[in-house]
């Protein structure tokens, strides 16, 4: 991504990138990316231009897309068979975090190539009694403070 304002727009038809035309009088639209997979959430790194997009569900496996140096790669490595889709993705220092449906928290320390489930969330007393919302039991929000603290919902 350049120094312009870019919007990452996840849709049921893939990820679109809207880049301002310099004076914000219009937008240049590119996409869809991610092979037409439904994208629930996307983040970008303005310094490197890398993009991560969370998706899956229906005909597609759960996973995270990563664009590096203009090339897209899709990783499902580490998401167990129970995961229907990836709903959120966040950066916390040198690691990436992903929230899934059903609700679980995953971590990647290699830029999103592989993922490991962090069991602490699902081991909270009472977790087996969590009730799903309208979209099901999803981990839809991850907030990181950059110092190892996380808030999830």
């Amino acid at each position: 991504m350049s120094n312009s304002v870019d919007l990452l727009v996840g849709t049921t038809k893939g990820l679109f990138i809207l880049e301002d035309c310099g004076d914000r009088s219009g937008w240049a639209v590119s996409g869809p990316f991610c092979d037409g997979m439904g994208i629930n959430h996307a983040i970008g790194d303005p310094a490197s231009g890398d993009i991560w997009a969370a998706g899956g569900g229906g005909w597609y496996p759960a996973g995270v897309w990563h664009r590096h140096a203009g090339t897209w790669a899709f990783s499902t490595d580490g998401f167990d068979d129970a995961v229907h889709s990836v709903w959120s993705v966040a950066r916390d220092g040198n690691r990436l975090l992903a929230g899934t449906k059903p609700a679980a928290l995953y971590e990647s320390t290699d830029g999103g190539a592989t993922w490991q489930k962090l069991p602490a969330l699902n081991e909270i007393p009472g977790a087996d009694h969590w009730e799903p919302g309208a979209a099901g039991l999803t981990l839809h929000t991850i907030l990181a403070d950059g110092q190892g603290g996380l808030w999830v919902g």
Side-chain angles (χ1 to χ4, degrees):
M1 290 192 270
S2 67
N3 289 331
S4 65
V5 173
D6 295 338
L7 297 177
L8 304 175
V9 181
T11 73
T12 58
K13 306 242 184 250
L15 180 75
F16 292 82
I17 301 173
L18 284 65
E19 186 174 352
D20 81 68
C21 294
D23 60 2
R24 299 193 184 143
S25 63
W27 299 91
V29 179
S30 58
F33 299 103
C34 308
D35 290 346
M37 175 186 285
I39 298 298
N40 297 311
H41 186 233
I43 60 171
D45 179 358
S48 68
D50 283 13
I51 295 172
W52 293 270
W59 297 105
Y60 295 99
V64 175
W65 287 90
H66 178 210
R67 184 183 81 173
H68 176 72
T71 302
W72 288 93
F74 182 59
S75 175
T76 61
D77 190 356
F79 294 107
D80 62 47
D81 292 339
V83 175
H84 178 262
S85 60
V86 181
W87 268 67
S88 56
V89 62
R91 288 188 68 183
D92 182 32
N94 291 329
R95 68 180 178 159
L96 290 167
L97 300 162
T100 64
K101 175 182 181 178
L105 182 62
Y106 286 78
E107 173 187 60
S108 174
T109 57
D110 59 9
T114 62
W115 297 87
Q116 302 79 38
K117 187 174 184 178
L118 299 177
L121 176 70
N122 299 96
E123 293 174 355
I124 294 172
D128 56 335
H129 298 294
W130 290 345
E131 294 292 327
L137 187 59
T138 64
L139 196 163
H140 53 76
T141 304
I142 303 170
L143 301 174
D145 68 5
Q147 300 174 2
L150 293 176
W151 291 264
V152 298

